[in-house]
Amino acid sequence: MKPTASHDLIVIGGGSAGHAAARTAAGLGAKVALIESAEPLGGLCILRGCMPSKTLIETANRMRAIRDAARFGIRVAEPELDVDALRDRVRSLVSDFRQHRESEMTSGRYKLLHGSASFTSEHEIEFATEKGESRTLTATTFVIATGSTPSVPPIPGLAGTPYWTSDHVVHLPFLPKHLAVLGSGAIGMECAHLFEGLGSQVTVIARGDSIMGKMDPEIGTVIEAESGDRGIRFLKKTDLKSVTYRQNHFSLSLEGAADSLEADALLVATGRTPATAHLGLEGIGITLEDGRILIDDRCTTSLSHIFAAGDCASPVPVVHLAVIQGEVAGKNAIRLAKDGHRDTAAVWNRKSAMSGWFTEPQCVEIGMSEKEAQEKGITVLTGRKDYSDQGKGIITGCQRGFVKVIADAENGRLLGACGTGPLVIETAHILQAAIELGVSAQDYLAIPHYHPTLAEAWHRAVADLADRLPVP
Ligand SMILES: Cc1cc2nc3c(=O)[nH]c(=O)nc-3n(C[C@H](O)[C@H](O)[C@H](O)COP(=O)(O)OP(=O)(O)OC[C@H]3O[C@@H](n4cnc5c(N)ncnc54)[C@H](O)[C@@H]3O)c2cc1C
Ligand SMILES: NC(=O)c1ccc[n+]([C@@H]2O[C@H](COP(=O)([O-])OP(=O)(O)OC[C@H]3O[C@@H](n4cnc5c(N)ncnc54)[C@H](O)[C@@H]3O)[C@@H](O)[C@H]2O)c1
């Protein structure tokens, strides 16, 4: 028999997604509890993800800019990194962000409980309190927002060594002379550029024959060339076979572009695993795929009163999606709890979904790719602008970056965009809004961009394709 619920909603996990779900539901007048297992509060983005990594990247970019000063007519001595000062800066900023989040989570809008939760039945969860006692709570609806953990492959010898994951990097244990990076995805490439900027020698070991994951292949080509110019070495089509660690030194046995590699630090950046293993989900019939909770566009799982949001469920694990999924899950859960609506309306997926990597230069993808358009049978036109042929791009010294835009060849509607170049993630938001709102290339061009700016590159790319659109 279904027990009488003590809450309208229980949220499991207090990161970006869980907090968004709880505050949204509480704002709708619901009785909400959020259970978080970790101390301190803050979640991945604040404690070990976006914020500390981008703080380190900010310093790396400034170090690189100083080294590059002569190109801009400035004579300056070789910069020297103060590792302790940088570590203190990261600690201090993370502490500020954390305190802000903590004050939101303890403001009383929803009940915050500490403990590690798991389902004992479809409407019941159990969690251990700080005193070690087991407590049971019931709710009409649930949001699972338990995030993810670094995934480390079972490479012989690796487990017994002091290898790093991104969890270690954000504390900057030391500045390696030579860093080996396993994986050329988001974390591998951001960290390769981060440590190169700070002054380390960096070698990236990549399994495939290209880098930068699923990003547009042309972006991979530009980033590889830019990285190569700055001394980063790529060992492509290469497997790490085994690892030994002796006297503060890693010896890596490889198969592929090289047989071996010596380094004083090893970063394993081979993806993240959804944190769903200890939640009792199989027992209550929640469908998972490789550990990821399957959700629809309303964040509903295979059980209609249980929702999921963020890295434990998202096909693209990034913060803005974790937040919007949390809000959607919270809203839909409360509609169901209060009114019994199953036909809930809020949806999380957007046609302008964006992915941005903070390499140097930055890389971005928005909405549909040319390949996806082809698969959907849409004929597209592509417009392009190279920064080496664009006013502000030339001023910043960008030699290889570009932006590309695609539009429906029939009606000119903007469908997707990608690029790599100076601050391209920042400037791409104007395209994101245009794609989401279904703006046509012609209407976009009616908004002149300020000159000389980097954002003008997008305008020029749209103009490039608009010339080939049928005259209305
Ligand atoms: C190094 C790094 C850099 C990144 N940079 C960016 C970036 O620049 N931009 C971007 O958009 N994204 C970035 N990301 C991704 C981003 O950080 C995540 O997508 C986002 O933080 C996920 O939020 P979440 O709420 O789903 O998970 P989390 O923030 O991980 O929250 C999950 C919470 O659930 C808790 N929990 C787990 N199990 C239980 C349980 N059984 N009971 C109770 N509580 C539990 C955990 O303690 C955790 O606090 C980065 C990630 C990394 C690792
Ligand atoms: N700017 C951002 O938005 C940002 C920054 C950092 C991290 N993140 C998020 O964090 C997540 C995790 O990042 P990530 O770089 O760890 O994952 P990823 O999926 O982006 O890249 C993983 C890389 O590891 C390689 N790999 C996987 N298994 C391997 C194995 N056994 N041996 C060798 N190589 C292997 C893959 O080929 C790939 O190159 C990303 O999906 C991303 O959403 C986002």
Side-chain angles (χ1 to χ4, degrees):
M1 202 178 71
K2 188 173 135 184
T4 310
S6 59
H7 292 84
D8 296 320
L9 169 66
I10 291 178
V11 178
I12 307 175
S16 305
H19 170 59
R23 79 166 151 67
T24 304
L28 293 170
K31 191 175 174 202
V32 181
L34 182 150
I35 306 176
E36 168 58 53
S37 57
E39 220 27 288
L41 295 172
L44 177 65
C45 169
I46 290 174
L47 301 174
R48 298 178 305 282
C50 329
M51 305 316 268
S53 66
K54 271 74 235 186
T55 306
L56 290 167
I57 286 170
E58 186 67 30
T59 293
N61 288 347
R62 284 165 192 261
M63 289 275 290
R64 192 183 296 108
I66 294 168
R67 282 200 295 269
D68 205 21
R71 211 151 62 93
F72 297 87
I74 310 166
R75 244 180 267 128
V76 67
E78 181 71 12
E80 191 186 334
L81 183 69
D82 181 341
V83 177
D84 290 334
L86 175 55
R87 217 180 270 134
D88 284 349
R89 180 163 199 266
V90 175
R91 230 179 262 140
S92 159
L93 293 191
V94 168
S95 168
D96 287 350
F97 294 131
R98 180 182 61 69
Q99 282 173 34
H100 178 72
R101 173 60 59 81
E102 201 171 87
S103 69
E104 289 181 327
M105 293 178 73
T106 54
S107 69
R109 271 193 284 186
Y110 54 78
K111 193 197 289 178
L112 176 67
L113 299 164
H114 289 282
S116 180
S118 60
F119 284 89
T120 49
S121 75
E122 285 184 18
H123 283 275
E124 227 168 25
I125 55 129
E126 184 180 71
F127 73 100
T129 65
E130 282 150 348
K131 291 181 189 152
E133 295 158 358
S134 176
R135 261 184 82 180
T136 299
L137 284 178
T138 55
T140 312
T141 59
F142 295 86
V143 173
I144 306 168
T146 48
S148 62
T149 54
S151 160
V152 177
I155 295 164
L158 179 65
T161 71
Y163 68 86
W164 293 345
T165 65
S166 56
D167 286 356
H168 303 92
V169 166
V170 294
H171 299 296
L172 193 60
F174 62 93
L175 183 67
K177 282 197 178 63
H178 184 186
L179 171 71
V181 178
L182 182 65
S184 61
I187 294 177
M189 289 309 301
E190 283 190 359
C191 287
H193 284 193
L194 153 60
F195 281 96
E196 166 269 319
L198 294 183
S200 299
Q201 190 192 329
V202 178
T203 303
V204 178
I205 305 162
R207 281 195 303 195
D209 61 0
S210 61
I211 60 161
M212 302 292 289
K214 292 190 188 122
M215 286 262 173
D216 186 284
E218 222 183 321
I219 293 180
T221 306
V222 169
I223 291 297
E224 192 174 341
E226 289 284 327
S227 310
D229 283 356
R230 304 202 300 262
I232 297 176
R233 183 178 170 216
F234 290 95
L235 299 174
K236 294 193 289 186
K237 286 179 150 176
T238 300
D239 283 324
L240 176 55
K241 302 307 281 184
S242 67
V243 180
T244 41
Y245 182 77
R246 229 172 273 127
Q247 293 172 336
N248 303 328
H249 218 75
F250 285 91
S251 299
L252 310 183
S253 167
L254 305 173
E255 193 174 281
D259 298 331
S260 63
L261 185 69
E262 304 289 313
D264 53 341
L266 168 64
L267 169 66
V268 178
T270 48
R272 295 182 64 87
T273 307
T276 55
H278 306 295
L279 293 170
L281 298 182
E282 276 97 345
I284 58 167
I286 298 265
T287 308
L288 302 163
E289 193 177 83
D290 296 330
R292 185 170 72 83
I293 301 169
L294 290 186
I295 52 169
D296 62 14
D297 57 2
R298 296 159 187 188
C299 292
T300 317
T301 67
S302 49
L303 294 185
S304 61
H305 69 290
I306 302 184
F307 299 78
D311 284 12
C312 65
S314 183
V316 185
V318 290
V319 171
H320 68 287
L321 292 185
V323 172
I324 195 164
Q325 286 166 358
E327 289 168 352
V328 163
K331 209 177 279 175
N332 289 341
I334 291 320
R335 282 190 189 161
L336 185 63
K338 294 272 191 201
D339 312 329
H341 283 325
R342 278 170 200 280
D343 186 21
T344 46
V347 295
W348 65 268
N349 40 9
R350 298 281 181 272
K351 55 185 181 215
S352 65
M354 184 164 175
S355 208
W357 293 6
F358 294 84
T359 46
E360 181 52 40
Q362 297 179 351
C363 307
V364 77
E365 284 196 327
I366 311 162
M368 214 182 278
S369 66
E370 277 178 89
K371 194 164 162 250
E372 283 161 352
Q374 268 165 15
E375 283 162 8
K376 288 189 159 93
I378 304 170
T379 310
V380 294
L381 287 173
T382 305
R384 180 192 172 98
K385 189 68 184 171
D386 289 311
Y387 286 105
S388 59
D389 180 33
Q390 189 264 342
K392 189 61 187 279
I394 294 168
I395 292 170
T396 65
C398 180
Q399 285 157 1
R400 292 195 183 91
F402 68 91
V403 294
K404 272 196 302 204
V405 179
I406 62 165
D408 190 318
E410 272 180 32
N411 54 26
R413 192 162 297 156
L414 296 171
L415 299 174
C418 70
T420 176
L423 299 179
V424 77
I425 301 174
E426 311 277 351
T427 64
H429 286 91
I430 188 165
L431 254 290
Q432 188 192 27
I435 291 166
E436 189 58 42
L437 297 172
V439 170
S440 71
Q442 298 92 329
D443 285 345
Y444 182 89
L445 290 175
I447 311 164
H449 289 18
Y450 214 84
H451 177 75
T453 61
L454 292 165
E456 275 181 304
W458 293 110
H459 208 263
R460 299 310 307 150
V462 175
D464 179 37
L465 71 83
D467 288 347
R468 284 169 279 135
L469 281 168
V471 179

